[in-house]
């Protein structure tokens, strides 16, 4: 599967129906902001003290896109691991994410669930803190926080719509 930039570029150039057929897995779209709205990344800027009182700009909706899928050779075929280490299926490089933070799996009814693996900073779905080892049903459109890292669970159709809307907004702002 393509990497984050490739998936976003495909959404920019492909027709919607072709994009949806090509990108079949669910996706995590990572926000650059933590749950408290503060930027996680560090930036050095020359600015007046008044500039520091302004809230940070809103994060882009498609700053990073991660496919929710098994990585080749990873153990536990019935679950998709999420964590900070490279041997997880979905790798979230953020200090607030535990090495093996959580995992996705299908329950007995075929519903996608998320399970917190006893992470240090917790896992939240739509603001609700998950209890350790308790499966919680998740669906497209849910906001999932792994530690302080905020993500959105999307399918290809929703990602396509977001990418195209952001492109439209950028064009409108450039034409002002």
């Amino acid at each position: 599967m393509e990497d984050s930039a490739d998936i976003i570029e495909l959404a920019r150039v492909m027709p919607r129906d072709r994009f949806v057929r090509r990108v079949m897995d669910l996706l995590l779209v990572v926000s650059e902001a933590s749950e408290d709205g503060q930027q996680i990344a560090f930036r050095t800027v020359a600015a007046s003290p008044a500039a520091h009182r302004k809230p940070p700009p809103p994060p882009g909706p498609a700053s990073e896109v991660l496919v929710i899928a098994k990585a080749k050779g990873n153990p536990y075929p019935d679950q998709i691991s999420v964590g900070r280490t490279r041997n997880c299926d979905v790798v979230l490089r953020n200090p607030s994410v535990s090495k093996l933070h959580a995992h996705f799996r299908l329950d007995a009814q075929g519903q996608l669930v998320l399970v917190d693996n006893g992470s240090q900073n917790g896992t939240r779905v739509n603001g609700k803190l998950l209890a350790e080892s308790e499966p919680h049903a998740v669906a497209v459109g849910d906001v999932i926080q792994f530690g302080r890292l905020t993500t959105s669970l999307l399918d290809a159709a929703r990602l396509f719509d977001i990418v195209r809307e952001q492109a439209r907004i950028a064009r409108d702002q450039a034409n002002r």
Side-chain angles (χ1 to χ4, degrees):
M1 178 41 94
E2 292 82 11
D3 69 15
S4 182
D6 291 341
I7 292 172
I8 293 169
E9 184 60 24
L10 287 176
R12 288 184 179 128
V13 300
M14 275 188 169
R16 189 175 199 270
D17 59 332
R18 281 188 49 214
F19 179 76
V20 170
R21 282 195 309 268
R22 179 154 182 184
V23 180
M24 309 240 341
D25 294 307
L26 289 175
L27 308 161
L28 281 178
V29 176
V30 179
S31 168
E32 292 181 23
S34 65
E35 71 178 340
D36 60 6
Q38 298 298 311
Q39 295 293 323
I40 291 171
F42 294 100
R43 290 185 286 185
T44 302
V45 296
S48 69
H52 294 288
R53 289 192 286 272
K54 296 177 184 173
S63 58
E64 184 177 8
V65 179
L66 302 165
V67 177
I68 300 175
K70 287 297 298 172
K72 279 189 174 183
N74 276 7
Y76 311 109
D78 61 332
Q79 65 187 33
I80 298 172
S81 60
V82 179
R84 194 177 70 238
T85 61
R86 286 184 292 183
N87 63 340
C88 288
D89 298 306
V90 178
V91 178
L92 300 173
R93 292 289 187 181
N94 182 281
S96 72
V97 175
S98 295
K99 290 179 182 178
L100 181 58
H101 197 98
H103 66 270
F104 291 98
R105 66 177 172 81
L106 296 176
D107 67 9
Q109 293 75 37
Q111 169 74 41
L112 184 66
V113 296
L114 180 62
V115 179
D116 182 86
N117 290 338
S119 63
Q120 180 71 32
N121 294 310
T123 305
R124 295 178 183 275
V125 175
N126 298 324
K128 179 183 181 218
L129 182 64
L130 302 187
E132 181 180 342
S133 301
E134 291 294 320
H136 184 84
V138 292
V140 170
D142 283 348
V143 173
I144 303 172
Q145 293 169 297
F146 299 97
R148 292 182 3 147
L149 190 68
T150 302
T151 68
S152 297
L153 180 64
L154 301 179
D155 59 11
R158 289 221 186 155
L159 177 63
F160 181 91
D161 294 342
I162 289 170
V163 168
R164 291 295 179 96
E165 177 64 13
Q166 288 300 305
R168 185 195 63 74
I169 291 168
R171 276 191 313 274
D172 289 351
Q173 289 176 348
N175 291 332
R176 287 185 184 172

